[in-house]
Amino acid sequence: QLQLVESGGGLVQPGGSLRLSCAASGSTLDGYGIGWFRQVPGKEREGVSCINTNGARTNYADSVKGRITISRDHAKNTVFLQMNNLEPEDTAVYYCAAVPPYVLVQAACETPGLAVYWGQGTQVTVSS
């Protein structure tokens, strides 16, 4: 049974940076693509960035392109989301999720329902 745990969230000022981690246990992440999603109260969960099984393909939401980088470390069984130049609009609970390998990264980011495992989420608050 694959378990995912997010960490690295917190309070940061506009323009600041955070690195979120998604650590897996119970099984390897090698057979899954990974997506980062975020959600604010009253709104639908939206895809932020996704990465395929070997890290060769990535996808980013238009709102975060140029500010966020997704990566994975297979040896550590962990996926990262480096967030720079954060904006108040980035405030949300951030979730990581595992998706089947046959799902293309763009489809994974656009369709949260395709994910099969989810973490508990980590709060990111961008405020002065």
Side-chain angles (χ1 to χ4, degrees), residues 18-99:
L18 286 173
R19 189 182 74 162
L20 306 184
S21 298
C22 176
S25 62
S27 184
T28 177
L29 281 178
D30 291 349
Y32 299 94
I34 299 296
W36 282 97
F37 302 82
R38 65 188 182 187
Q39 189 169 28
V40 299
K43 295 186 177 181
E44 296 182 342
R45 189 168 299 186
E46 65 174 355
V48 178
S49 182
C50 296
I51 189 168
N52 77 337
T53 53
N54 62 12
R57 298 183 182 275
T58 59
N59 183 79
Y60 297 93
D62 290 341
S63 60
V64 303
K65 286 182 179 178
R67 302 188 297 114
I68 291 182
T69 302
I70 189 171
S71 62
R72 64 190 303 166
D73 187 328
H74 295 279
K76 296 181 178 179
N77 210 23
T78 301
V79 177
F80 302 98
L81 191 72
Q82 178 66 48
M83 304 190 294
N84 301 319
N85 195 24
L86 286 164
E87 305 169 351
E89 292 75 18
D90 296 316
T91 296
V93 177
Y94 284 71
Y95 301 87
C96 68
V99 300

Side-chain angles (χ1 to χ4, degrees), residues 37 47 50 59 99 102-115:
F37 302 82
C50 296
N59 183 79
V99 300
Y102 52 81
V103 177
L104 300 180
V105 291
Q106 183 174 350
C109 274
E110 294 177 350
T111 314
L114 294 177

